[in-house]
Amino acid sequence: MSFADAFRLDHSTHTGCSRPKREGDLVQLGLNTGPTYEIAAVRGETAWIREPGTFRGEALVPLSRLRKVEDEPEKRLNEAA
């Protein structure tokens, strides 16, 4: 049994999330419930993601691999204030 089998990790390249993704949105990779990332920039079909707050763990990822966690970044900012 592999690590991926034991933890039911899905490394598929498409999440099925068709919601539009833009700068400031919170996303997760694939179908897993792993770390949450913030989209720093979008160009074409590629997003630059990084960990919110620390700005570590940066990566360039195809939008098709991202699953949107929250729809309204303005709501997130208002709750933090």
Side-chain angles (χ1 to χ4, degrees), residues 1-71:
M1 179 179 276
S2 72
F3 180 83
D5 292 335
F7 291 98
R8 296 184 185 149
L9 298 178
D10 183 359
H11 296 291
S12 63
T13 59
H14 189 357
T15 64
C17 178
S18 60
R19 294 185 289 176
K21 298 164 195 89
R22 59 180 185 240
E23 288 183 28
D25 287 344
L26 294 177
V27 294
Q28 291 180 323
L29 289 167
L31 301 174
N32 303 313
T33 54
T36 300
Y37 298 93
E38 179 181 8
I39 297 178
V42 175
R43 180 165 228 168
E45 291 298 314
T46 304
W48 169 25
I49 61 171
R50 59 188 179 188
E51 294 178 21
T54 63
F55 304 124
R56 295 182 181 176
E58 298 178 322
L60 294 174
V61 180
L63 287 172
S64 63
R65 291 197 60 206
L66 299 176
R67 182 172 43 87
K68 199 167 179 182
V69 174
E70 190 172 326
D71 281 330

